[in-house]
Structures are given as structure tokens and as C-alpha cells.
Amino acid sequence: VTPPTLFEPIEINGVRLRNRLILPPMCQYSCEARDGVPHGWQFQHLAARAAGGFGMVVAEATAVTPEGRISPWDTGLWNDEQAQAWAPICDEIAELGAVPAIQLGHAGAKASTVPMHPGVPAGQPILEGPDSWETLSPSGVPTNSMEIRTHAMQVDEIRETVQAFADAAERADRAGFGAVQLHAAHGYLIHQFLSPLTNTRTDEYGGDYEGRTRFLKEIVAAVREVWPADKILGIRISGSDWREDGWSIEETVRLAQELQGQVHWFDLSSAGIGDTYEGPKGPGYQVPLATAVKEGTEGIVVSAVGSLTGAQEVADVVTAGRADAVCVGRAALANPNWPTAAALELDVPEEQVPMARQYFRAKW
Ligand code: FNR
């Protein structure tokens, strides 16, 4: 079989993406009213990249509860006003030929921090005032050495949070999203449960692999109850903590195997726990994690992400069979038309160039 190419369409659970390029979720920290409602900024940010040719456009980490926000400026989907505000954004993304997707998350112990904007110390907790709140976590264990306010979740808080993911997914469906991605990466709440470095619980939600994965599996089951069977359900996961005694790629592959059939798409990032990044660096540094999941599973679409910026380099990941799809993040902040530009550079067949028809003169 000839391997697919980057600009060939791909089906995920029967939903067609026009190519294998995915805009990954990127927090914009732009809800100035601190109400989690997306506005013009999110609209133009996502629509521009749909027009730029991505096959799927994933909206930023969107909180399922107010206290699950990384910062007070995050988007949310814990109420209907937010769902209504997402609807025209979904319509526009779909109109422009991309599948509208949203990442649903809860920051856990990494909530209530200052937004990552220029001149601001990244990830710094807000310890007092109206923008500060006590955060939830599996064990009251911080993800790094910064001072925070957090408490270990009671079982009823776990149940409420599982339900909040399902409620947010239901709203995402009503808003018109075609895909939901659960945020199990980067040291946020689900990852805090997965990793033995932050999960020291002794009840059924901690301990061995079974216990640490229970929270995520319950979320998947609850979301499946409400999320339409013909839409895409995905997970972005940190494939490794890159730390001794941390969450590992072996556990990630096992989890993907257990969830195949329920989850259609795995997006392989890494790290998020600890003060420093201890993993490999350089172009495509996380691709081997995606390849491991792809090789260990059947029927799951696997995407790679991280420092993949050149057209040929990104195309090679797919043609070499190292992943089924690729996320291009920061390079697409610099150039929203990254996919179109890459298609022209690679000289793909005319019908695969995902250029907006309004821009067609750019080719000559
Ligand atoms: C991110 N990233 C990120 N990841 C995620 O899972 N949810 C999120 O909301 C965000 N937010 C975010 C904001 C900004 C401004 C950046 C630059 C990054 C990580 C992002 O999705 C991606 O995985 C990394 O940027 C690595 O890919 P690139 O940028 O090297 O292509």
C-alpha cells in the first residue's frame, strides 16, 4: 500500500478532513470580561486558520468549570451563553472547509495563574484577590515548586468534574463542533491523575495504572453518553513525563489500546509536570511518541505535534507512516496560511491546495 500524503483527505470516525494538517489548541487568554465567553478575537484567530487551509481547527483549552480555567481570561463551556457564542465560530470554520474542534480541559492545580502574555511570568499562580481561587487536584500535590493553593479532591468533587466534562461536551455538540478533544496533557487535571508524581491517592482513583487512569476513563464514558456517535472524540495526552517514576509511553500505549473503539483520535504531546523540561528537544521531538501509539493500536488516528515547521519535514512525518496527521502550532501563529503555503511549496495536485477561493490569484 502506498502511504498517504499530507494533503490527502483523512477520515476520523467517518468525518472527513480535507487534509492531515491540524491547528492545535492554543490558549488566547482573551476573555477580558473573565466570563469564559469567546468573542471577536477567537473568531478571527480560528477562522483565519480555517481559511488558511487546515483540515481541522482546534479551539483553545476551554474550561469545563470556572475553577478549571488556567487563567481568568480562558474560554469556557460551563454555561449556555458560552455555547451560543461558540456557535458562529463553528459555523465559520465549517464554512471555510475545516472541521471545527474544541479542547475541553480542567487545569486542576495549575489553575488560577496569570496568562502567558508578553512581559508576564508564565504560569505564575495568582495567590490573592478576586482572580485567585483554591484549585482542585488529585492529592493536593503541586505540579512544580511554585507556591499554590490547592486541595485533594473529594470523591464527590471527582464525580462533579466528570459530569462537567460531559455537560461541556453536550454544549460543544449544540454549538456545532465536529470534534471534542479531552485535554489529558501538560500537567493539567487529567494528567495530574495519570501521573504518579502528582497522584498519591490511596483510593480507587490512585495507586496503580488502573487507579490513575480511572478518572480519564470515567470522563470518556460520561462524554460518550452525550457526544454523538458520528462525531470525533479525541484525547491530547502527554505521552511521557520524561521523568523517572513518571507517566510513561508504555502506559500511554496501553491506555490507547484500552480506549480504542471509544476514542477515535490520539494527539501526542508530552511533559508538563516538574519545574524543568527533561525530554528530548529539536524538530519533531515528540513524533516517536505518536509512532509508538500508532504502532500499538488499530483504528485510532494518531497525530504528532511539536517543533514541526517546514513543509517537507511535516509531509515526511505522514509519508513515512510515523503519524497519520500533524499539528502545526506556532508556525501557524506566524502564518495563518501555513497549509496553503506548504501545499504550494510541495507542488501538490491542484485540487489538494486548500486555498480559500477568494485568494486564488495568490498562485500566479
Ligand atoms: C499552546 N499549547 C497548548 N496546548 C494545549 O494542549 N492546549 C492549549 O490550550 C495550548 N495553548 C497554547 C498556547 C500557545 C500560545 C502556544 C504557543 C502553545 C501547545 C500547542 O498546542 C503545541 O502543542 C505546541 O505549541 C507545540 O507545537 P508547535 O508550536 O511547535 O507547532
Side-chain angles (χ1 to χ4, degrees):
V1 207
T2 338
T5 59
L6 183 63
F7 285 94
E8 265 173 55
I10 184 171
E11 278 198 4
I12 311 181
N13 192 34
V15 179
R16 185 178 182 275
L17 277 58
R18 63 182 154 185
N19 59 46
R20 290 142 188 273
L21 283 163
I22 300 172
L23 181 80
M26 287 183 279
C27 285
Q28 301 296 299
Y29 306 115
S30 295
C31 299
E32 300 303 333
R34 298 166 171 69
D35 57 3
V37 177
H39 288 287
W41 179 262
Q42 288 84 5
F43 185 99
Q44 68 77 26
H45 166 66
L46 299 167
R49 283 148 188 90
F54 279 94
M56 179 152 67
V57 166
V58 189
E60 64 191 272
T62 292
V64 300
T65 64
E67 67 275 8
R69 290 171 297 171
I70 302 167
S71 87
W73 291 267
D74 291 20
T75 51
L77 254 181
W78 66 82
N79 66 39
D80 293 341
E81 185 193 356
Q82 294 158 348
Q84 278 160 21
W86 281 113
I89 299 177
C90 290
D91 285 350
E92 187 67 12
I93 294 170
E95 177 68 26
L96 291 164
V99 173
I102 189 161
Q103 186 183 53
L104 296 181
H106 190 300
K110 284 173 95 167
S112 187
T113 64
V114 294
M116 280 187 230
H117 280 165
V120 185
Q124 195 73 39
I126 304 172
L127 292 172
E128 50 192 36
D131 289 331
S132 172
W133 62 87
E134 184 174 296
T135 65
L136 302 179
S137 51
S139 308
V141 174
T143 58
N144 55 40
S145 63
M146 282 193 254
E147 185 193 345
I148 58 165
R149 298 198 287 135
T150 189
H151 74 266
M153 291 165 83
Q154 304 286 328
V155 170
D156 60 345
E157 290 175 307
I158 292 179
R159 296 208 177 110
E160 285 163 18
T161 307
V162 169
Q163 189 57 45
F165 270 94
D167 293 345
E170 199 171 8
R171 291 190 190 97
D173 174 39
R174 270 189 271 133
F177 285 105
V180 150
Q181 179 184 68
L182 303 173
H183 195 350
H186 304 163
Y188 297 113
L189 185 63
I190 298 177
H191 184 187
Q192 287 159 30
F193 271 89
L194 295 176
S195 177
L197 303 173
T198 42
N199 182 347
T200 57
R201 296 178 74 96
T202 52
D203 66 358
E204 71 268 34
Y205 290 98
D208 59 7
Y209 167 87
E210 287 300 338
R212 286 180 281 112
T213 56
R214 189 177 310 278
F215 179 57
L216 173 54
K217 287 179 181 167
E218 287 186 359
I219 291 170
V220 169
V223 167
R224 285 297 306 244
E225 294 275 316
V226 296
W227 184 244
D230 60 357
K231 289 189 174 185
I232 300 168
L233 178 58
I235 293 180
R236 171 171 268 203
I237 194 160
S238 279
S240 175
D241 282 337
W242 305 122
R243 273 163 207 279
E244 220 169 298
D245 304 323
W247 175 256
S248 66
I249 185 59
E250 289 76 20
E251 287 178 311
T252 302
V253 172
R254 179 175 169 191
L255 182 67
Q257 287 166 346
E258 290 171 1
L259 291 177
Q260 73 197 23
Q262 296 178 68
V263 172
H264 317 110
W265 163 41
F266 262 70
D267 187 20
L268 266 293
S269 191
S270 73
I273 293 173
D275 284 328
T276 52
Y277 174 76
E278 303 291 339
K281 293 179 182 147
Y285 63 102
Q286 292 171 146
V287 175
L289 300 171
T291 308
V293 173
K294 184 170 158 61
E295 286 174 354
T297 55
E298 254 174 71
I300 292 183
V301 167
V302 180
S303 53
V305 63
S307 291
L308 290 160
T309 56
Q312 192 62 55
E313 169 187 52
V314 170
D316 287 348
V317 171
V318 172
T319 44
R322 301 177 74 204
D324 302 303
V326 179
C327 299
V328 175
R330 287 165 296 175
L333 295 181
N335 177 10
N337 299 309
W338 195 98
T340 296
L344 295 175
E345 185 183 328
L346 297 171
D347 204 18
V348 305
E350 177 80 28
E351 69 277 10
Q352 290 182 359
V353 179
M355 182 181 281
R357 62 183 159 76
Q358 292 86 345
Y359 294 163
F360 79 101
R361 285 185 187 81
K363 273 191 270 182
W364 291 288

